[in-house]
Amino acid sequence: MHVSVGFLLELGVVLVVLSVLGALARRFALSPVPLYLLAGLAVGEGGVAELPEAAEFVETGATIGMVLLLLVLGLEFTISEFSASLRRHLPSAWVDLVLNAAPGALAGWMLGLDASGVLALAGVTYISSSGIVARLLTDLRRLGNRETPAVLSVLVLEDFAMAGFLPLLAVVAAGGDWAQAVLGVVLAVGAVVLALVLSNRWGHQLGRVLTHPDDEPLLLRVLGVTLVVAALAEAVHVSAAVGAFLVGLALSGEAAQRAREVLSPLRDLFAAIFFIAVGFFVEPESLVPLLGPALALAAVSVVTKVASGWYAAGREGAARRGRVRAGTALVAHGEFSLVIVGLVGLSDGRLGAFVAAYVLILAIAGPLLTRYAPGWVRVGGPGGPPGRRVAAVTA
């Protein structure tokens, strides 16, 4: 078996650098996600220290990282709890869609993009990053917070919406007619609904099949089934993350606890690769000319995402700081936005560079805002005494 010395060296350097950055971030009680993103920008295409031999592994590892992040997140909840939460948050999904897709569509029109470009930019500003948000909720130990079901419901409903959006965008970008677009949307949405019903009705049987007294067979079974389900989800234009999340929901009790234990180290490794990848394939030089407009649109998205999260967390009865935590958690954008741009092609060079700049700004600003912004909120309203300014950060 041939072993590439360059690949091993580059991958080793990447992992050592990530360990240093992670330790540095945690020393100051920060999430390492922003540092990982900047590291990806530094060692990726056009960066200060390119690592071409590691590029293929980074691309593949990023997909596995996103799948593992959502799988482990799904293990924290039962499917009955989550189904009830989804039903409660359908109005939140509509608020999220209207508030966050409209700025992207308007920006696309102002930039003079064609119909597919305008539609793509609406999707870019609408969809938050499931991978980054999942990691933030874990890093900041907010999985048990009152507002967290609202955040997860909005995220999953966004990913479900992509099941209808991506076929529509693909047809429009290819110059197809509306009949083809409608057929693609109906097929994809039908597949998602069927998967959710099957998971809700027979998902508990999955735990019995996958569980095993030894760690190694358990790890291989859970990971193997999750990757198969993620691949099937992608085949019908649904995010692989949604498939992984459904597998996590289907496992409960002791099976879920043991799966969390054996999967957590693997998740941490590939999640770091996932965050590197967001910046890895972006050329820093292409970002500079469009940085101003991207900053302006990102600022608008911060406001609209916080408003969406505020509304959704309010439906869970969260107090003011919980609503801010929910809103700022949704600010981060990432992998899905880049996938959308890739789907319409990069014939218009401005769109690719503009979205890359926009995504990086929010991928870095999102974790920082969700870490610090709740501490700036004046305590009051339901659940808090009025008139006291909170200095400490709630994590």
Side-chain angles (χ1 to χ4, degrees):
M1 181 175 65
H2 173 69
V3 178
S4 169
V5 175
F7 167 72
L8 292 177
L9 182 63
E10 290 184 4
L11 183 59
V13 170
V14 167
L15 296 180
V16 169
V17 169
L18 290 178
S19 72
V20 172
L21 293 176
L24 182 66
R26 289 188 169 88
R27 182 171 183 177
F28 295 97
L30 293 171
S31 168
V33 170
L35 295 180
Y36 290 170
L37 296 170
L38 291 174
L41 200 62
V43 300
E45 296 174 358
V48 294
E50 290 188 51
L51 302 176
E53 295 281 338
E56 186 174 345
F57 176 80
V58 169
E59 186 172 9
T60 305
T63 302
I64 297 173
M66 184 178 68
V67 166
L68 286 171
L69 279 167
L70 271 294
L71 168 63
V72 175
L73 190 62
L75 291 171
E76 299 288 340
F77 303 89
T78 67
I79 198 160
S80 57
E81 292 170 343
F82 198 73
S83 297
S85 182
L86 282 182
R87 288 192 293 271
R88 183 159 59 249
H89 283 289
L90 281 176
S92 306
W94 285 110
V95 170
D96 182 44
L97 175 63
V98 172
L99 285 183
N100 293 290
L106 181 60
W109 174 75
M110 293 175 67
L111 288 171
L113 302 177
D114 58 16
S116 63
V118 170
L119 190 61
L121 204 47
V124 165
T125 55
Y126 165 61
I127 188 82
S128 300
S129 170
S130 303
I132 296 177
V133 177
R135 177 59 183 267
L136 286 175
L137 293 173
T138 304
D139 281 352
L140 299 177
R141 299 177 183 177
R142 293 179 180 171
L143 290 176
N145 283 14
R146 189 167 192 170
E147 75 278 2
T148 297
V151 175
L152 295 179
S153 297
V154 170
L155 283 178
V156 173
L157 285 166
E158 283 184 357
D159 282 358
F160 281 173
M162 285 293 114
F165 176 80
L166 291 181
L168 174 64
L169 179 62
V171 171
V172 173
D177 57 37
W178 284 103
Q180 291 173 304
V182 170
L183 179 62
V185 171
V186 169
L187 289 175
V189 172
V192 171
V193 172
L194 178 62
L196 188 59
V197 170
L198 292 176
S199 183
N200 189 30
R201 183 161 297 181
W202 291 291
H204 62 282
Q205 302 286 353
L206 187 63
R208 298 177 188 172
V209 174
L210 297 184
T211 192
H212 193 280
D214 297 326
D215 289 348
E216 183 178 331
L218 176 66
L219 172 64
L220 294 176
R221 288 179 184 184
V222 174
L223 185 58
V225 168
T226 302
L227 291 177
V228 168
V229 173
L232 293 174
E234 283 286 339
V236 293
H237 300 290
V238 179
S239 167
V242 171
F245 189 76
L246 289 175
V247 173
L249 284 178
L251 297 176
S252 59
E254 186 181 354
Q257 175 61 30
R258 292 201 55 231
R260 272 196 299 272
E261 291 172 359
V262 300
L263 286 167
S264 290
L266 201 61
R267 176 205 57 183
D268 292 343
L269 170 63
F270 282 100
I273 300 296
F274 165 76
F275 296 119
I276 279 274
V278 174
F280 197 90
F281 298 102
V282 175
E283 292 188 28
E285 188 177 339
S286 68
L287 306 180
V288 177
L290 293 166
L291 206 52
L295 272 169
L297 185 59
V300 173
S301 289
V302 168
V303 174
T304 55
K305 277 294 179 184
V306 169
S308 304
W310 178 283
Y311 175 82
R315 295 183 65 82
E316 293 285 347
R320 189 174 296 173
R321 256 190 295 167
R323 295 183 181 194
V324 173
R325 284 196 295 264
T328 51
L330 293 170
V331 166
H333 285 53
E335 70 290 347
F336 233 134
S337 300
L338 300 175
V339 168
I340 290 170
V341 174
L343 193 61
V344 298
L346 299 177
S347 55
D348 189 329
R350 293 175 304 163
L351 181 59
F354 180 75
V355 170
Y358 170 84
V359 166
L360 276 173
I361 291 168
L362 290 181
I364 294 169
L368 295 175
L369 280 172
T370 194
R371 172 69 176 85
Y372 290 110
W376 304 334
V377 175
R378 190 179 179 84
V379 175
R388 181 165 63 88
R389 189 170 292 279
V390 176
V393 175
T394 301

